[in-house]
Amino acid sequence: MKIGIVGLGLIGGSLGLDLTAQGHQVVGVSRKAQTCQRAIARQAVRDASPDPAILGQCQVVFLCPPLGVMESTLRAIIPYLQPATVVTDVGSVKDWVVQTLSPLWPNFVGGHPMAGTAESGIEAAQRELFVGAAYVLTPTDTTPATAVLTVEQLIQPLGVRIYHCQPQEHDLAVAWISHLPVFASASLIAACQAEADGTVLHLAQALASSGFRDTSRVGGGNPELGLMMARYNRPALLRSLYAYRETLDQFIRQIEQQEWSALESHLQQTQKARPAFVKE
Amino acid sequence: MKIGIVGLGLIGGSLGLDLTAQGHQVVGVSRKAQTCQRAIARQAVRDASPDPAILGQCQVVFLCPPLGVMESTLRAIIPYLQPATVVTDVGSVKDWVVQTLSPLWPNFVGGHPMAGTAESGIEAAQRELFVGAAYVLTPTDTTPATAVLTVEQLIQPLGVRIYHCQPQEHDLAVAWISHLPVFASASLIAACQAEADGTVLHLAQALASSGFRDTSRVGGGNPELGLMMARYNRPALLRSLYAYRETLDQFIRQIEQQEWSALESHLQQTQKARPAFVKE
């Protein structure tokens, strides 16, 4: 199958590596000529160009740019697509993407492969990045069933666990388990940095170990990703943040009031609830 | 040197393994005869007994019981100690411990070896648990310098990084980097569990990956430890929780008001601040 990948970063590049290895004819589009050359050299694509004309005859196109240029990217490639071409994206937010892109291209299927590393860019792309990862598809009532089937058949061999849901359901779920943790974690770093006085700050930095390291990891990550979550998943993120603040206040009240048995029971509940979210 | 260890759990047992291996004559005290037998079998101690009379002639005694019975444990062994015996504890809170135990035993040195695993009990004890870990000592104006020196010379060969500070400074620092993360993390689990409706909850559980796993780890841990932090380090923990809530509110306001450039700058600051706390 001839496949196009627009945006040759970590996700686009990794998709290209796997799809090329499976025998597909993959072509890429990137604004930067150097990225195109590196993608070819790494065998993530057979050919690549800043010119979207390279996408002619593609049966499926993966849109892998940052969310902020998703719409303009689709508009720029539409003149080169055939009506039957299936377009799917890899954005981490789905409601806004599906509402924005579906009217522009009827054969559009919203998608979100939930894999990544701390690195970004074509050099960070790797084979089998998606093995065992969730890959969410968010078709709507107007999405052609054949387009969904085409995407499914293409991504299944990557080793992903495919989920179907409404775009809004996806956004609520990732707000809870992916976007809220970023802001809970960032608040931890910011509070420690801002409130600890000089002596205590240096002591805190010296004594911090695995507990702080793990809890602060996603809050110390790429600021652009956090910004995109907030911009494009704002209602769901705010809903989860309000609930989080309410839960935090419950813990604070229990500690203020010295309600030790209620606090212990609260902590027992969190210990019991966690395994359903964690496969380890 | 003859050394006593009272409380043969993860920390006491691990201390015993290392100190025995270094040639000291280590004896242990545990309420449970079975724990005493296991500690002897594992060579964590040369001899052990529920009877504190075994501590006679010890030059140094490590108090390793849970915080809740720290005071009663010291009172129970005092009749068997010689006046010159140095007593030190391993509790994770220091101000309350030092204020409570120092008046009972002048030769007392507050201590906190900052190592652990997810497991507990004598079976979880292991050699070299403390290599590279911080070991905080909190002598006060009235602590005999020779007592501090004795403890230092004993723990240095374990491979620890020794820090000295005031008990209050220790408690503030660990509130920030150890106790606050537990409640920030527990609030995350509790909020996800309580607020997500049925469909979204199941989707969230299926989609949760490394970000949620790391951010929720310490909040899903042993409820007793969280309870002890709250009970015995309440003022410092509340202070850090109030600051955390304020930082969280700043993030929420920036997202509500769509102050994207301020939000990005805020996230850039957390990204920049984290490495000083994290050695990886």
Side-chain angles (χ1 to χ4, degrees):
Chain A
M1 195 181 283
K2 186 176 176 191
I3 297 168
I5 296 179
V6 183
L8 297 167
L10 168 66
I11 300 296
S14 298
L15 281 172
L17 285 169
D18 280 1
L19 294 171
T20 298
Q22 280 163 24
H24 295 290
Q25 183 195 341
V26 182
V27 296
V29 174
S30 169
R31 281 172 307 147
K32 296 183 189 165
Q34 197 187 350
T35 302
C36 292
Q37 288 158 16
R38 285 300 300 151
I40 295 168
R42 294 205 58 200
Q43 301 188 299
V45 295
R46 181 179 296 189
D47 198 4
S49 166
D51 182 354
I54 200 173
L55 298 172
Q57 316 302 323
C58 279
Q59 290 159 274
V60 177
V61 171
F62 286 85
L63 286 179
C64 312
L67 283 172
V69 294
M70 192 67 87
E71 182 182 355
S72 60
T73 300
L74 177 56
R75 287 185 186 277
I77 68 167
I78 279 180
Y80 305 96
L81 304 182
Q82 297 179 306
T85 303
V86 174
V87 174
T88 186
D89 78 308
V90 301
S92 58
V93 168
K94 295 273 62 78
D95 193 30
W96 176 84
V97 166
V98 170
Q99 286 198 34
T100 306
L101 301 196
S102 289
L104 301 177
W105 194 256
N107 251 335
F108 173 78
V109 183
H112 182 200
M114 299 188 65
T117 70
E119 313 293 309
S120 60
I122 183 67
E123 300 302 342
Q126 57 187 66
R127 284 286 310 274
E128 303 191 341
L129 179 66
F130 307 100
V131 172
Y135 200 125
V136 185
L137 296 178
T138 58
T140 66
D141 294 345
T142 61
T143 309
T146 53
V148 179
L149 194 64
T150 299
V151 174
E152 280 191 335
Q153 287 173 343
L154 205 50
I155 62 177
Q156 190 76 74
L158 305 182
V160 299
R161 296 178 281 121
I162 297 177
Y163 293 89
H164 283 225
C165 66
Q166 295 294 313
Q168 300 88 337
E169 289 171 343
H170 166 277
D171 286 3
L172 286 168
V174 298
W176 288 110
I177 52 86
S178 175
H179 302 177
L180 170 59
V182 167
F183 290 93
S185 177
S187 297
L188 174 66
I189 304 171
C192 288
Q193 185 67 22
E195 294 296 317
D197 73 23
T199 307
V200 172
L201 176 60
H202 289 117
L203 190 61
Q205 289 171 340
L207 301 184
S209 65
S210 61
F212 187 88
R213 184 187 65 222
D214 286 359
T215 318
S216 68
R217 185 174 68 79
V218 297
N222 186 344
E224 271 180 62
L225 290 182
L227 184 62
M228 289 301 108
M229 294 166 182
R231 285 185 85 140
Y232 294 98
N233 199 20
R234 186 166 162 270
L237 174 59
L238 280 174
R239 178 171 152 171
S240 70
L241 279 165
Y242 295 146
Y244 178 72
R245 183 167 58 186
E246 180 50 42
T247 313
L248 182 72
D249 278 336
Q250 287 173 18
F251 276 116
I252 291 175
R253 277 196 298 273
Q254 287 168 340
I255 298 169
E256 283 173 336
Q257 307 295 323
Q258 307 191 45
E259 296 169 354
W260 303 133
S261 114
L263 178 64
E264 187 170 21
S265 155
H266 205 171
L267 289 170
Q268 284 166 345
Q269 285 163 31
T270 64
Q271 185 185 38
K272 198 172 154 208
R274 183 171 178 262
F277 292 89
V278 176
K279 308 91 192 162
E280 60 184 3
Chain B
M1 194 181 286
K2 185 176 177 191
I3 296 167
I5 296 180
V6 184
L8 296 167
L10 168 67
I11 300 297
S14 298
L15 280 171
L17 285 169
D18 280 0
L19 293 170
T20 297
Q22 279 161 26
H24 296 289
Q25 183 195 342
V26 182
V27 296
V29 174
S30 170
R31 280 173 306 148
K32 296 184 189 165
Q34 196 187 353
T35 302
C36 292
Q37 288 159 15
R38 285 299 301 152
I40 296 168
R42 294 206 56 200
Q43 301 188 300
V45 295
R46 181 179 298 188
D47 198 5
S49 165
D51 181 355
I54 199 173
L55 297 173
Q57 317 302 323
C58 278
Q59 290 159 276
V60 177
V61 171
F62 287 86
L63 285 179
C64 311
L67 283 172
V69 294
M70 191 68 86
E71 181 181 355
S72 61
T73 301
L74 177 57
R75 288 185 185 277
I77 68 168
I78 279 179
Y80 306 94
L81 303 182
Q82 297 180 305
T85 302
V86 174
V87 175
T88 186
D89 78 307
V90 300
S92 58
V93 168
K94 294 273 63 80
D95 194 30
W96 176 84
V97 166
V98 171
Q99 286 198 36
T100 306
L101 302 196
S102 289
L104 302 177
W105 195 255
N107 252 333
F108 174 78
V109 184
H112 182 200
M114 299 187 65
T117 70
E119 312 294 309
S120 60
I122 182 66
E123 300 302 342
Q126 57 186 67
R127 285 286 310 275
E128 303 191 341
L129 178 66
F130 307 101
V131 171
Y135 200 124
V136 185
L137 296 177
T138 58
T140 65
D141 295 346
T142 60
T143 309
T146 52
V148 180
L149 194 63
T150 300
V151 175
E152 279 190 335
Q153 288 172 343
L154 204 50
I155 63 177
Q156 190 76 76
L158 307 183
V160 299
R161 296 178 282 121
I162 297 178
Y163 294 88
H164 283 224
C165 66
Q166 295 295 314
Q168 300 87 339
E169 290 172 341
H170 166 276
D171 287 2
L172 285 168
V174 298
W176 288 112
I177 52 87
S178 174
H179 302 177
L180 171 59
V182 167
F183 290 93
S185 177
S187 297
L188 174 65
I189 304 172
C192 288
Q193 184 68 23
E195 293 296 317
D197 71 23
T199 307
V200 172
L201 176 60
H202 289 116
L203 190 61
Q205 289 172 338
L207 300 185
S209 66
S210 60
F212 187 88
R213 183 186 67 221
D214 286 0
T215 317
S216 68
R217 183 174 68 79
V218 297
N222 187 342
E224 271 182 61
L225 290 181
L227 184 63
M228 289 302 108
M229 295 166 182
R231 284 186 87 138
Y232 294 98
N233 199 20
R234 185 166 162 271
L237 175 59
L238 280 174
R239 180 172 151 169
S240 70
L241 279 165
Y242 296 146
Y244 178 72
R245 183 168 56 185
E246 179 51 41
T247 313
L248 182 71
D249 278 337
Q250 285 172 20
F251 276 116
I252 290 175
R253 278 195 297 274
Q254 287 168 340
I255 298 169
E256 283 174 336
Q257 307 294 322
Q258 307 191 44
E259 296 170 354
W260 304 133
S261 117
L263 178 64
E264 186 169 21
S265 155
H266 205 172
L267 290 170
Q268 283 165 348
Q269 286 165 31
T270 65
Q271 185 185 38
K272 199 173 153 206
R274 182 171 178 265
F277 292 88
V278 176
K279 307 93 191 162
E280 59 184 4

